[in-house]
Amino acid sequence: MSLINGRPLMPPTATGWYWKAVGRLRGPDPDEDINEAEAALYESKRFPRVTAHQLRHTAASLMIADGAHIKTIQKQLGHKSATVTLDHYGHLYPDDLDDIAARMGVRFRRGCGKPCGENAGTTR
C-alpha cells in the first residue's frame, strides 16, 4: 500500500485538486445553445476526462513498452508480488514464442556434440 505521511494514499475526489486540474485542461463546457454536431466536434478537441486509475494503467503500459523489468513495475505500482502485476498486465507483453524457439534452435545447432545441462552424459 502506498503511504504519504504514514497515511494511505487516497484516490482523488470530485472536488479535489486532481479533477480541478483536469477541468482547467479541458476548458469551459460548451454553451447549451450549440447543436449536437458542434458539441461533438468541441468535445473531440478537448482534453479527455482521465481518471487517476487510467493514468496508473497508462504508466504501467509505458513501462512495459519500454522494457522495464517486471519487479520494477511491481514496486512502482505497489503490488504485493510480480504475479499480481503479471495477472493485470501480462497481456501487454509480446508473444515471443517463435523468437525464443528460433534462438533455441540456433543454440542447439551450435552446441551439437557438446553435453549440455541435465542431458549431459545420457544415452538412449
Side-chain angles (χ1 to χ4, degrees):
M1 173 176 18
S2 297
L3 299 176
I4 293 181
N5 297 328
R7 297 177 45 199
L9 180 62
M10 302 302 289
T13 63
T15 59
W17 67 268
Y18 177 81
W19 286 112
K20 288 177 183 175
V22 170
R24 284 192 301 273
L25 291 169
R26 286 182 56 78
D29 288 330
D31 295 329
E32 293 180 16
D33 59 346
I34 65 172
N35 67 42
E36 193 173 314
E38 289 173 329
L41 177 64
Y42 182 79
E43 187 63 30
S44 71
K45 295 180 183 281
R46 293 178 82 186
F47 188 83
R49 292 182 201 273
V50 182
T51 66
H53 197 74
Q54 289 169 324
L55 289 177
R56 176 183 172 88
H57 285 303
T58 300
S61 300
L62 291 173
M63 287 185 275
I64 290 167
D66 285 342
H69 192 279
I70 190 66
K71 292 295 286 181
T72 302
I73 299 168
Q74 172 218 334
K75 288 176 186 175
Q76 183 67 31
L77 296 177
H79 289 159
K80 185 175 183 177
S81 70
T83 303
V84 172
T85 307
L86 285 169
D87 285 347
H88 280 80
Y89 300 104
H91 66 283
L92 297 175
Y93 284 90
D95 183 5
D96 57 356
L97 291 176
D98 291 336
D99 183 47
I100 295 294
R103 286 189 279 154
M104 288 178 70
V106 169
R107 281 184 184 264
F108 178 73
R109 285 188 293 279
R110 284 185 192 155
C112 282
K114 297 179 187 176
C116 63
E118 294 177 9
N119 295 327
T122 61
T123 59
R124 286 204 169 191

